[in-house]
């Protein structure tokens, strides 16, 4: 599937035009086009013809009705088969009839499959260029730390904009010299990785000259933001994104705004003050797999209006997406294994896993709780999970991990986290 730079440029200019000259609300034209699109979805067409209200969607319901919801006649079985094959081969380029397949676990622990066509990819790239990377006639170099390379970045590289991928599976110590020599204009990484990079700059007594720092994937805590700002001498921008869509970005005033010029956000408030809510999103730009009243389980804190001119909702804080990095000693050095690697092991090990927790409780001990559809198969499923986890750890050079099956021990008052590091030894 070849991405068109011309199409991306046109979409980029449209984003810029509407942000500058139009309101932040969704246009009636966009809503009408979307209504025609979802008539191609058997699931939503049936609801429209019956003149019923669209139901609140979650991952379980979404996956249960996968074959009927998508508009491109892709079956869940073939999508899952391709997604698992890509996970094992680490080649994410294969598609089905030009439709890319993505696999996600999310905070619920269950699988999610997400489809994107060529147009949707171009829209995403244009939106990222508009709201995250920004436009400049100066030559810029972008360094990004991710679990897997994203071929979309390659589609927009030019004489003015280049991208360098750093695999987070590789210890940051092996990346740091390359990063310093690259001297990127823009650095994109998880807060936990940004912290390690900052510490290396300090240790090496090198003053960072990076012009823009963008935090992704994990919750950026206040103390992390303060520390990173002091080291890089730059404000830290954020991107709030999940497989359901590109949800929010940091404006020039440093506030995180929801993209309400194409997302309709219903707010399910969690307290009487109405400052904390679950977002229920409808995406008016998605075609191949409509996102309609999809409720996320992230807890968002609503902020006050912003002086940047955008009327979109300000998010003052995101709760619920920050996992713990697993840390181990190897030959007196620290090895970090990021939660996404562990999460992928669990969701690909068995289709029977409904819920789980993986907890590092000692330097070489991990407790695993599995909730499965058939309890009689728990023992065999645990053996598979244990084997796959050990394979993962060995790929990082970590051996002799004691992995134990345990019952769930969770206090309902506390936030439920599936991947936790309770071995808080200082490194």
């Amino acid at each position: 599937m070849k991405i068109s730079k011309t199409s991306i440029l046109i979409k980029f200019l449209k984003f810029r035009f509407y942000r500058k000259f139009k309101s932040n609300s969704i246009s009636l034209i966009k809503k009408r086009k979307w209504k025609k699109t979802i008539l191609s979805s058997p699931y939503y067409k049936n609801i429209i013809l019956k003149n019923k209200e669209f139901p609140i969607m979650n991952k379980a319901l979404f996956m249960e009705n996968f074959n009927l919801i998508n508009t491109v006649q892709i079956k869940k079985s073939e999508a899952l088969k391709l997604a698992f094959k890509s996970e094992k081969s680490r080649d994410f380029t294969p598609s089905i009839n030009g439709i890319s397949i993505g696999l996600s676990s999310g905070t619920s622990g269950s699988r999610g499959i997400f489809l994107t066509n060529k147009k949707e990819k171009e829209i995403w790239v244009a939106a990222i260029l508009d709201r995250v990377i920004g436009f400049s006639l100066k030559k810029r170099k972008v360094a990004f730390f991710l679990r897997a390379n994203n071929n979309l970045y390659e589609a927009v590289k030019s004489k003015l904009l280049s991208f360098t991928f750093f695999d987070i599976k590789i210890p940051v110590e092996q990346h740091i010299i390359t990063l310093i020599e690259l001297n990127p204009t823009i650095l994109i990484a998880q807060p936990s990785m940004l912290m390690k990079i900052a510490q290396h700059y300090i240790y090496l007594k090198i003053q960072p000259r990076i012009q823009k720092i963008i935090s992704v994937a994990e919750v950026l805590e206040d103390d992390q933001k303060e520390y990173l700002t002091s080291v890089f001498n730059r404000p830290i921008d954020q991107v709030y994104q999940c497989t359901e869509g590109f949800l929010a970005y940091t404006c020039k005033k440093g506030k995180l705004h929801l993209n309400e010029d194409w997302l309709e956000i219903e707010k399910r408030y969690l307290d009487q003050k109405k400052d904390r809510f679950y977002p229920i999103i409808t995406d008016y730009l998605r075609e191949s797999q409509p996102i309609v009243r999809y409720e996320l389980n992230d807890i968002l804190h609503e902020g006050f209006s912003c002086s940047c001119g955008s009327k979109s909702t300000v998010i003052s804080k995101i709760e619920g997406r920050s996992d713990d990095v697993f840390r181990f000693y190897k030959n007196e050095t620290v090895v970090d294994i990021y939660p996404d690697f562990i999460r992928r092991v669990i969701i690909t090990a068995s289709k029977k896993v409904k819920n789980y927790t993986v907890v590092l409780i000692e330097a070489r001990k991990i407790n695993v709780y599995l909730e499965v559809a058939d309890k009689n198969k728990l023992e065999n499923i645990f053996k598979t999970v244990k084997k796959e986890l050990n394979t993962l750890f060995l790929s990082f050079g970590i051996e002799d991990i004691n992995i134990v099956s345990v019952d769930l021990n969770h206090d309902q008052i506390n936030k439920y986290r599936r991947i936790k590091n309770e071995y808080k030894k200082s490194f």
Side-chain angles (χ1 to χ4, degrees):
M1 182 194 302
K2 187 173 178 59
I3 304 298
S4 167
K5 289 184 179 180
T6 301
S7 295
I8 291 172
L9 177 60
I10 292 171
K11 291 174 176 63
F12 169 82
L13 293 174
K14 283 183 178 180
F15 278 128
R16 281 289 162 107
F17 175 81
Y18 278 101
R19 272 212 297 156
K20 188 169 185 178
F21 299 107
K22 301 290 184 179
S23 69
N24 293 105
S25 60
I26 301 162
S27 69
L28 290 175
I29 295 175
K30 195 173 291 182
K31 287 186 176 182
R32 289 194 192 105
K33 287 182 178 179
W34 172 81
K35 207 70 175 283
K36 290 181 180 178
T37 297
I38 61 171
L39 284 172
S40 300
S41 163
Y43 181 86
Y44 287 112
K45 181 179 180 179
N46 182 55
I47 293 172
I48 292 171
L49 292 177
K50 291 182 178 179
N51 201 28
K52 290 184 177 181
E53 183 181 34
F54 292 126
I56 299 292
M57 185 64 63
N58 56 36
K59 184 172 289 184
L61 185 61
F62 195 71
M63 292 302 295
E64 182 183 336
N65 293 279
F66 179 91
N67 295 353
L68 294 175
I69 288 175
N70 81 79
T71 65
V72 289
Q73 293 82 50
I74 290 179
K75 296 188 181 300
K76 183 169 69 173
S77 57
E78 60 180 339
L80 273 173
K81 183 178 179 181
L82 180 64
F84 284 131
K85 183 179 179 181
S86 295
E87 281 294 328
K88 289 189 177 297
S89 68
R90 312 301 298 153
D91 178 8
F92 297 93
T93 57
S95 61
I96 299 175
N97 299 325
I99 304 297
S100 295
I101 314 296
L103 180 69
S104 98
S105 59
T107 54
S108 68
S110 58
R111 294 172 182 80
I113 310 172
F114 293 92
L115 313 177
T116 49
N117 61 24
K118 176 176 177 289
K119 180 181 176 182
E120 289 164 330
K121 286 188 173 184
E122 291 170 350
I123 288 172
W124 181 84
V125 173
I128 293 294
L129 288 174
D130 174 43
R131 307 190 179 193
V132 180
I133 295 174
F135 175 77
S136 176
L137 291 174
K138 295 180 180 180
K139 187 174 182 179
R140 294 178 298 165
K141 293 176 286 185
V142 181
F144 59 101
F145 286 74
L146 296 173
R147 183 186 61 83
N149 197 356
N150 191 329
N151 296 317
L152 291 177
Y153 293 120
E154 300 298 319
V156 293
K157 68 178 182 180
S158 66
K159 293 181 179 179
L160 295 178
L161 192 63
S162 64
F163 295 88
T164 301
F165 166 65
F166 293 84
D167 190 342
I168 65 171
K169 189 173 182 179
I170 298 172
V172 68
E173 289 79 11
Q174 296 181 33
H175 285 313
I176 197 67
I177 299 302
T178 303
L179 179 67
I180 291 170
E181 290 177 349
L182 177 67
N183 189 25
T185 315
I186 300 170
L187 172 62
I188 303 173
Q190 309 88 331
S192 54
M193 178 60 75
L194 289 173
M195 293 289 287
K196 291 181 73 69
I197 292 170
Q199 289 161 8
H200 277 283
Y201 271 102
I202 291 175
Y203 176 77
L204 295 171
K205 297 181 180 179
I206 297 174
Q207 179 60 46
R209 291 181 290 170
I210 303 168
Q211 297 176 18
K212 191 169 187 176
I213 312 295
I214 301 169
S215 170
V216 298
E218 300 170 356
V219 173
L220 178 65
E221 302 291 347
D222 290 341
D223 61 320
Q224 292 176 316
K225 189 174 183 179
E226 182 179 351
Y227 176 79
L228 293 170
T229 300
S230 66
V231 173
F232 291 105
N233 196 27
R234 288 284 185 275
I236 310 301
D237 291 346
Q238 297 182 69
V239 169
Y240 174 31
Q241 177 172 289
C242 56
T243 44
E244 289 81 14
F246 173 27
L247 305 182
Y249 69 102
T250 299
C251 73
K252 292 182 179 179
K253 297 292 183 178
K255 298 292 183 66
L256 192 63
H257 289 265
L258 291 172
N259 288 313
E260 291 180 298
D261 45 347
W262 73 79
L263 295 174
E264 185 171 323
I265 310 290
E266 299 174 63
K267 301 166 185 175
R268 184 158 76 84
Y269 289 105
L270 304 176
D271 51 27
Q272 292 183 343
K273 293 181 179 179
K274 292 190 174 181
D275 59 0
R276 306 169 78 205
F277 66 91
Y278 285 130
I280 302 171
I281 63 174
T282 297
D283 190 329
Y284 287 94
L285 295 180
R286 292 290 289 268
E287 295 179 347
S288 54
Q289 191 178 33
I291 301 295
V292 184
R293 304 193 73 198
Y294 194 112
E295 182 174 286
L296 302 176
N297 57 4
D298 291 340
I299 300 174
L300 306 185
H301 289 232
E302 189 167 359
F304 299 102
S305 59
C306 180
S307 60
C308 73
S310 172
K311 296 179 182 179
S312 293
T313 300
V314 172
I315 301 302
S316 62
K317 183 180 180 181
I318 302 170
E319 292 185 41
R321 296 198 309 143
S322 184
D323 292 313
D324 292 325
V325 175
F326 279 24
R327 290 183 168 179
F328 301 95
Y329 269 126
K330 178 188 175 185
N331 300 326
E332 298 185 354
T333 62
V334 177
V335 176
D336 283 350
I337 299 180
Y338 289 87
D340 203 28
F341 291 109
I342 298 167
R343 186 180 296 120
R344 297 279 165 168
V345 167
I346 302 296
I347 68 170
T348 57
S350 173
K351 296 179 181 179
K352 303 294 184 181
V353 176
K354 296 172 60 179
N355 201 0
Y356 65 89
T357 60
V358 183
V359 187
L360 179 66
I361 61 169
E362 295 176 9
R364 282 290 195 274
K365 185 177 180 181
I366 291 174
N367 284 348
V368 176
Y369 158 75
L370 298 176
E371 179 183 344
V372 299
D374 185 351
K375 292 184 178 180
N376 293 324
K377 296 182 179 180
L378 175 60
E379 184 176 348
N380 288 334
I381 293 173
F382 170 73
K383 288 180 180 178
T384 302
V385 168
K386 182 177 180 178
K387 178 183 176 182
E388 294 298 325
L389 282 172
N390 275 319
T391 299
L392 170 69
F393 297 140
L394 283 171
S395 72
F396 283 89
I398 304 300
E399 301 176 89
D400 301 319
I401 301 297
N402 182 21
I403 301 174
V404 181
S405 177
V406 299
D407 293 327
L408 180 64
N409 180 21
H410 173 64
D411 185 347
Q412 192 61 38
I413 297 175
N414 298 323
K415 176 183 170 184
Y416 188 76
R417 291 177 296 156
R418 284 164 177 77
I419 302 170
K420 297 185 285 186
N421 180 357
E422 293 184 349
Y423 180 62
K424 300 298 183 181
K425 182 174 179 178
S426 177
F427 290 92

